[in-house]
Amino acid sequence: MSEVQLTEAQRQSIEHVHAWHEIPQPLDQFIAAAQPQIGWDDGSIMINAKGIWIGIEADGSRHS
């Protein structure tokens, strides 16, 4: 996996998802697993939270 550049808002959203979904993986590893959204080069990333893919925009807004 390649490391992506995250905004502070994205980091905060990932931390929220990590706590909300009670992800057992350590937070730093969960953050490192973030991947760019395929097909869009707008700074959005995707994160897998227990089988639910969640998109996180550069402003931190989340959607599944």
Side-chain angles (χ1 to χ4, degrees):
M1 284 184 264
S2 61
E3 186 174 332
V4 296
Q5 297 297 317
L6 301 174
T7 66
E8 184 58 31
Q10 285 172 320
R11 287 184 185 281
Q12 290 175 357
S13 286
I14 292 172
E15 289 178 24
H16 177 83
V17 168
H18 185 266
W20 184 33
H21 289 273
E22 299 178 347
I23 305 295
Q25 181 180 31
L27 179 59
D28 61 332
Q29 290 178 12
F30 189 62
I31 289 172
Q35 293 296 305
Q37 181 175 320
I38 296 172
W40 299 98
D41 189 17
D42 63 357
S44 300
I45 57 101
M46 300 295 291
I47 195 83
N48 186 339
K50 293 186 173 179
I52 301 169
W53 283 96
I54 299 173
I56 304 177
E57 308 294 334
D59 67 1
S61 61
R62 300 177 296 271
H63 52 86
S64 57

